[in-house]
Amino acid sequence: DYTEYYQGTQNTNAQLEVLESFMKKKGSIKPEIQKLIDDIYQIEKSFKAETNSVRKAKMEESLKDKLRQILGFTEVLDALNEWTKEDYYKSRIEKNDSIITEPVLREWLTASLIFSNFEYTRIPMSDTYQQIFNERVSNPFLRDKLLKINDYYTEIQSGKVEHEESVKNLGNLSGEGEEIFRQLVEPYRGKVIYLDVWGTWCGPCREQMKHVREIEERLADKDIIFMYLANNSPETTWRNFIKELNLTGENIVHYRLTSANQQAVEAKLKIHAYPSYFIIDREGKMVNDNPSPPEERDRLIGELEKILGK
């Protein structure tokens, strides 16, 4: 707990500067992204000098808004994924070492961070993490557990998505949120749609999706589509999670929209939390903006069958 607290007390500018430098090196930083980063630097500079608590609170909200906008760019998400894979946890380990001196505790913290990286990215250890693992984790129990998880995600990553047509990595769609939403549901007119807006980074989203497979199988012969819109989710992690849960099929479709399109659809749906669920009728009209979550399996099936029967 203390190491988490310590990380939170560190200067956020430092991590943003590292990410900025990383993206510049990769040539993936757009002018609009650079503008947002520069705005954040300026707000944080003013924040430090400000003494009025009301104005400081407004500045904090502005900072959060700018950060949300930055995370709305797929280029930033992909860079974050690559940076996390190579550098982020390495820097966390170095910071942990600066405050934790007990060797056994250091080893367990290192193992914990490697495990967290599996949970967050759903990908096997990179060469960087393999080196950290070999140098810092010697406990047989920890090594065995982490190697088994690594083998599991290596197999997931090398495998194929069943029903590849279920997974759609779309380019830019034209129009505002209402029009983009129409383009998404129009191909399924005549069917009821259960829409799940989620993110690979979202723990509750991932937990709820573990309950979905049985629901989809029980309703496989019905005129229903299970549609998933992934928020701020790096492509490799997104695909691996779909493969891991085997969430594909003739009645399933996964969309990874551009960040601008995703934001527009979420604004139209008035989404403020994840996961968010919706039921759309055969005519493409929203008929339930707060249906039961997948863990309430029987209740959800009843709600869907009621609309199917209309």
Side-chain angles (χ1 to χ4, degrees):
D1 288 343
Y2 179 73
T3 58
E4 290 292 328
Y5 162 77
Y6 178 75
Q7 295 291 337
T9 63
Q10 302 306 293
N11 184 0
T12 55
N13 265 355
Q15 290 187 3
L16 190 59
E17 287 167 3
V18 172
L19 179 62
E20 178 188 16
S21 175
F22 183 85
M23 291 187 70
K24 282 181 176 178
K25 185 169 67 176
K26 296 288 183 179
S28 60
I29 191 161
K30 293 179 174 179
E32 51 266 46
I33 297 173
Q34 185 65 63
K35 173 68 165 56
L36 286 167
I37 291 174
D38 292 341
D39 287 348
I40 287 174
Y41 291 153
Q42 185 58 51
I43 293 169
E44 288 203 335
K45 183 179 178 181
S46 301
F47 183 85
K48 291 175 182 177
E50 184 58 64
T51 57
N52 183 282
S53 60
V54 174
R55 285 195 288 268
K56 284 177 82 78
K58 289 182 178 179
M59 288 178 184
E60 283 185 327
E61 285 303 312
S62 181
L63 276 174
K64 290 176 184 177
D65 181 60
K66 298 287 184 185
L67 285 168
R68 278 193 293 267
Q69 290 181 53
I70 287 176
L71 290 172
F73 288 90
T74 52
E75 295 87 354
V76 173
L77 290 178
D78 292 338
L80 271 172
N81 201 40
E82 192 172 352
W83 174 49
T84 299
K85 187 168 63 177
E86 297 300 329
D87 295 322
Y88 174 65
Y89 285 104
K90 187 177 179 180
S91 71
R92 287 202 59 175
I93 287 169
E94 290 171 355
K95 288 176 182 176
N96 284 348
D97 282 354
S98 71
I99 56 174
I100 302 295
T101 58
E102 211 290 316
V104 174
L105 186 53
R106 277 187 175 182
E107 181 175 4
W108 279 79
L109 280 168
T110 300
S112 176
L113 288 172
I114 293 172
F115 176 78
S116 295
N117 191 50
F118 284 133
E119 282 286 286
Y120 183 75
T121 67
R122 251 55 188 186
I123 60 177
M125 281 189 273
S126 65
D127 291 343
T128 299
Y129 289 131
Q130 191 74 56
Q131 181 180 352
I132 291 170
F133 171 75
N134 287 330
E135 290 175 353
R136 297 177 61 98
V137 181
S138 59
N139 179 285
F141 171 80
L142 295 178
R143 288 188 64 86
D144 180 63
K145 290 291 183 184
L146 291 173
L147 285 173
K148 284 180 179 176
I149 296 171
N150 191 65
D151 289 345
Y152 172 74
Y153 283 113
T154 298
E155 185 177 354
I156 292 289
Q157 183 142 306
S158 63
K160 293 183 178 180
V161 175
E162 290 189 32
H163 298 279
E164 181 69 36
E165 64 278 7
S166 293
V167 181
K168 302 178 187 295
N169 198 351
L170 294 184
N172 195 50
L173 298 175
S174 60
E176 301 297 323
E178 185 72 39
E179 173 59 20
I180 294 168
F181 180 75
R182 187 196 65 76
Q183 292 177 59
L184 292 174
V185 303
E186 184 64 29
Y188 309 104
R189 184 174 284 270
K191 295 179 181 288
V192 171
I193 298 172
Y194 181 66
L195 174 62
D196 180 347
V197 183
W198 70 295
T200 57
W201 46 268
C202 166
C205 300
R206 297 196 302 264
E207 285 302 310
Q208 286 293 333
M209 291 180 85
K210 293 177 182 178
H211 301 280
V212 169
R213 185 78 254 177
E214 183 180 345
I215 298 171
E216 291 167 344
E217 289 173 351
R218 282 175 60 178
L219 296 174
D221 61 342
K222 306 290 186 180
D223 289 331
I224 187 166
I225 290 291
F226 293 86
M227 181 183 291
Y228 300 92
L229 299 183
N231 170 285
N232 289 356
S233 298
E235 183 171 8
T236 302
T237 300
W238 174 64
R239 292 181 69 87
N240 281 2
F241 190 77
I242 293 169
K243 286 189 281 185
E244 183 179 359
L245 292 187
N246 192 26
L247 283 177
T248 60
E250 293 181 1
N251 63 338
I252 302 168
V253 61
H254 292 269
Y255 285 113
R256 183 174 181 261
L257 307 178
T258 65
S259 295
N261 285 168
Q262 182 75 21
Q263 288 178 16
V265 171
E266 290 189 14
K268 177 259 185 302
L269 296 174
K270 297 181 173 60
I271 289 175
H272 303 292
Y274 303 89
S276 286
Y277 304 104
F278 305 87
I279 298 179
I280 299 144
D281 71 11
R282 298 174 189 271
E283 301 301 318
K285 297 177 182 177
M286 185 75 65
V287 291
N288 190 340
D289 61 2
N290 189 29
S292 298
E295 67 180 356
E296 297 178 16
R297 182 180 60 235
D298 293 336
R299 180 178 294 181
L300 172 58
I301 289 173
E303 292 169 359
L304 291 169
E305 287 181 333
K306 182 179 179 180
I307 295 171
L308 282 163
K310 288 187 177 180

